[in-house]
Amino acid sequence: MKGAMNDRNESQRGDRQYLTFCLGQEYYGIDILRVQEIRGLEAFTRIPNTPEYMKGVLNLRGTIVPIVDLRAKFGMTSGEYGKMTVIIVVEVLEKVLGIVVDSVSDVLNVESEQIQSAPEFGSHIDVGFISGIARVDGRLIALLDIAEALSDEEVENPKEAEMILASEG
Amino acid sequence: MKASSGFRNTYLQEAADQLEILETGFLALEQDPRNADVLDSVFRAAHCIKGSSGTFGFSGIASFTHNCEEALERVRSGRLVLNPAMARLFLQFCDCLRLLLDAATRGVACDMTRIRSVSQQFQEILDASEESAPEASTGADWRIEWTPPRESFRRRVDVLRLLHELLEQGRTDVKLETDDIPSLPDLDPQDCHLAWSLQLSDAPPLSDLEDIVDFARGGFIVESLNASDSQPITPVEPSASLAPDIAARLLVDTASIRVDVGKIDHLINLVGELVTTQSMISDLGRSFDPERFTMFQERVDQLERNTRDIHERVMSIRMLPIGGVFNRFRRVVRDITLSSGKDVRLDFHGADTEIDKNVIESITDPLTHLVRNAIDHGIESAEERLKFGKPEVGTIRLEASQEGGSIVLSVADDGQGLDTKKILAKAVKHGLVDPQAELTDEQIQELIFQPGFSTAGEVTGMSGRGVGMDVVQQNVVQLGGSIEISSTPGKGSRVTLRLPTTLAILEGLMVRVGDDVFIPPLTSIVEFFRPSPEEVRSLLGQGETICYRGACLPVLRLQEIFGCESKAADSSAGLLAVVEVGDVRACLLVDELLGQQQVVLKSLETHYRRVPGISGASVLGDGRVALILDMPGVFRLAKRKKLLAAHGVRQKAETRG
């Protein structure tokens, strides 16, 4: 009974679990509910005429899933893919996407009190993508709003695709 | 009470079906107002809509339909005569009902002005006929013996509810017959052993009772106690006395069932996976121990046959005869005929040709547009036709047939044909064509596919807004098909659409270009050949070309078209694939031909977006993803990059080598 009460309190307090990963030297976190699975690096198939951060597509048990290099998307210098590089498969806006990250770390419980709003500067990436900064065990983790971070993909490109189609005679 | 969405969807689908029956029936009645069978079927359709609307809480629709049903009843009984004005009103009723159902489907409010007006007109008609024929007696009297069949409970007949409904029909005298009930040890509670004798006074006419009889599925003996009809009516089995379509719907084992399209799609995905797995196994077989190989190969062949069979059957589940779409055009043609004053007849051929449901849905709008065009621009007015010695009534012929792996649909008219002078003038005016250019008649005719083109002097209600043939072409090309037009001035025109029969699985040839594997569809490939260095010539500003079989074909490199950086193939060391889109040919430079395979087309759009030049992706035997080329798209990209001349290199299609 007490456990159930605690659970209710937790969700009321807004505690969430985040999967943390590294891009370069920095730690980021994604809401665990968005994470479908983690896969090792596999060969992608490139798609022509796509932005630099769009690495290609993968076959995930029969579904064709696009793969985004998050470092490239955030405008960071590109890193080498090493043994620790993995793909986190996430579900965003009813689409399934994979993001390439340098390594994954733990799943952390983050209480809402531990989250501060993001600073205006001092980060590589557009602040709009960050829903907050958490301090857990002495580490600063930038909590990503993955829908925001990846939704540019959907927002920009349909227009581009339409433009191409419209200009075709 | 709002019904749950599952029931609601069923109701909306059924109502849409009934509405089609109504509309087809009313169109037929317009020509032949005394046809008793058609009258019966539209009456039942209206009755059905009214009933189910009431059951599912759509009381507005129910009461709107009630007036129409009442009017139909009076037409059936001869109290009202179905004149042309009333026929038009019935068709307007259909339009209103369509509006209501559409609003209900989308969950929005509906603009009730038209509906109120139609309702009013029905009311006026009904009032007028009230005065003319005095009501005989308020109600009929019936004696009913109802013995529900033993399996009624098992067959989900809600006996108690039906009994209540019967009791509500008028003043009743009910006696329960219990003779048939066995003793308790022998009683199977799932069997129905009850029977009733009822005397119903001041009851409505038999038509209202028939619903209850329908639902009971048997066991009714009804005797009229009125002086006028003294014969007992004994509908023991529904099929005996009721209209065949109602009966057919009620019987448990009907020849067709409703299946949720999502389930079919899922099944098709699974079959797609099966095809891929079978390919993978086939692939594996290539590196097998030779001794076991023959046996293994036989098994694999068997698997391939099984897969192909299942695939064909599954795909055919989604196939529907195109006659359904053709039928909808009757209404369209009638409306346009009335508004344009031209008299047009519609002819169908090949209505049985089956087409994938998705294709049907995508092709309906383009076809509608073509039919409208044919009437608006093609068919001349009656006087003009007589002047030319043509029959007064114009003909539009819709044809569907299967040709190899394609469906061929055509819309032909016997009107005035395309006016090439007018088209050329319009094209020059819109800047689509150089005034000095010399174009053949065919090239001029093709101009109507350019965006923004329209030959109508003014915008008619139907077509000529410039959103026309180019959209039709886009829709068709998106489906992987092609469109052609041919016309003879004074005689008529014919637009032909060619569409692939199935959208999801196609035959592909795998080619390697650099490190990438691409799959052009087999249907777009003419042949492969290896050129010698002398044959490849470079023309300034126009890229490379090669002379082959007496024609000069441009050589396209996918890397350039797609902007990839993979290592470019050497034109003399590589292989050339002659590809064809419509009657335009070009050569694709590839490094290696990897083989032919049945390829499952997987969409890129599901999780990403549409990529120009790529129609989808497929999974190879080793699990890698290969991109399937959309040849028309590739050609478009090439034209944009000026690798292909703007109007293509047109040649007559030669027979394939």
Side-chain angles (χ1 to χ4, degrees), chain A residues 45-51 54 57-59 62-64 66 94-97 153-154 157-158 161 164-165 167-168, chain B residues 273 516 561-563 566 602-612 614 617 619 623 625-627 636-637 640:
Chain A
T45 300
R46 270 178 303 231
I47 309 268
N49 290 326
T50 50
M54 178 63 199
V57 291
L58 260 193
N59 168 32
T63 316
I64 305 296
E94 289 177 23
K95 297 192 191 234
V96 176
L97 293 161
E153 203 41 45
E154 270 58 48
N157 292 317
I164 296 178
L165 293 171
S167 63
E168 286 162 5
Chain B
E273 285 308 295
D516 301 315
I561 298 180
F562 284 147
S566 54
K602 289 195 180 288
S603 147
L604 277 180
E605 287 168 79
T606 318
H607 297 293
Y608 185 46
R609 61 169 171 93
R610 194 158 158 247
V611 178
I614 305 285
V619 180
V625 175
L627 297 178
R636 273 197 296 272
L637 285 175
R640 266 185 44 195

Side-chain angles (χ1 to χ4, degrees), chain B residues 198-209:
Chain B
L198 298 108
Q199 187 140 327
L200 218 52
S201 313
D202 283 345
L206 183 62
S207 48
D208 274 11
L209 293 179

